[in-house]
Amino acid sequence: MKKNAWFPLSVLLLSAISLGHCSTGEEDADLARLQGDWVVVSSKNQQETDFVGTLMKFEKNTWQSYNRSGQSEGVYTVVLRPDKVPKEIDLTIIRPKAGKVVVQGIYSFGKDQLILAVSGSRDKNVRPKSFDAVIGGDNDVRVFVLDRKKVKQ
């Protein structure tokens, strides 16, 4: 191969590496933005008021949900795909009787706000395509609005 022929190949290779790294950087940025405590301020699902006021805590790539009494209701691992439109989130929990369960969803950020739409169907776990709640049926979609918990000073 000629000496100058390596230059276009090296530029192409470096570009491909950079593009892959940007995607990871975007995921890292969104994961960093999730960190901390969030409070559910609105929910649209079968048990509409059951979740309002509950705490969700993100730490590294885990999400822990708490009931109003402060008891843990589950720990999920989080996988983000911010390069998708809308941005995708997968929440995985391992339940003793059901085994590994993956809840597919989408997410969006506002200023100190997180909007989640997740599949509410136990039988058909279909990723929502929008942030519109669908109550009942095979394509049940639960929508949650969370505000970042204010730190008391």
Side-chain angles (χ1 to χ4, degrees):
M1 196 176 249
K2 290 183 184 178
K3 190 176 186 179
N4 291 344
W6 284 105
F7 181 73
L9 183 58
S10 63
V11 169
L12 182 63
L13 181 59
L14 288 173
S15 298
I17 291 169
S18 297
L19 286 173
H21 184 67
C22 288
S23 177
T24 302
E26 191 176 359
E27 182 179 359
D28 290 344
D30 277 6
L31 197 55
R33 200 167 173 191
L34 279 177
Q35 301 304 293
D37 296 346
W38 297 82
V39 178
V40 178
V41 295
S42 171
S43 68
K44 294 180 183 164
N45 56 68
Q46 295 113 331
Q47 307 94 11
E48 184 148 342
T49 59
D50 284 356
F51 293 97
V52 174
T54 59
L55 177 70
M56 307 292 173
K57 182 178 199 138
F58 288 89
E59 189 173 332
K60 297 183 182 174
N61 71 329
T62 62
W63 171 25
Q64 189 159 8
S65 62
Y66 297 86
N67 61 25
R68 283 193 203 94
S69 301
Q71 297 173 322
S72 176
E73 297 232 320
V75 178
Y76 300 81
T77 58
V78 177
V79 175
L80 301 178
R81 288 184 209 81
D83 57 322
K84 302 291 184 182
V85 178
K87 295 180 177 193
E88 295 181 354
I89 185 170
D90 286 345
L91 304 166
T92 304
I93 188 167
I94 298 178
R95 299 201 183 263
K97 293 180 182 175
K100 179 178 164 180
V101 177
V102 178
V103 178
Q104 296 182 10
I106 57 176
Y107 70 99
S108 175
F109 288 110
K111 184 178 183 218
D112 291 327
Q113 194 169 71
L114 170 64
I115 303 168
L116 288 174
V118 295
S119 173
S121 174
R122 296 193 193 286
D123 299 327
K124 294 185 178 180
N125 188 7
V126 178
R127 187 178 313 281
K129 297 189 183 343
S130 72
F131 293 96
D132 298 319
V134 177
I135 299 171
D138 289 339
N139 295 323
D140 189 47
V141 175
R142 299 174 183 185
V143 178
F144 301 93
V145 178
L146 298 90
D147 283 351
R148 185 172 298 280
K149 185 175 179 184
K150 305 284 188 244
V151 177
K152 293 181 183 178
Q153 297 177 354

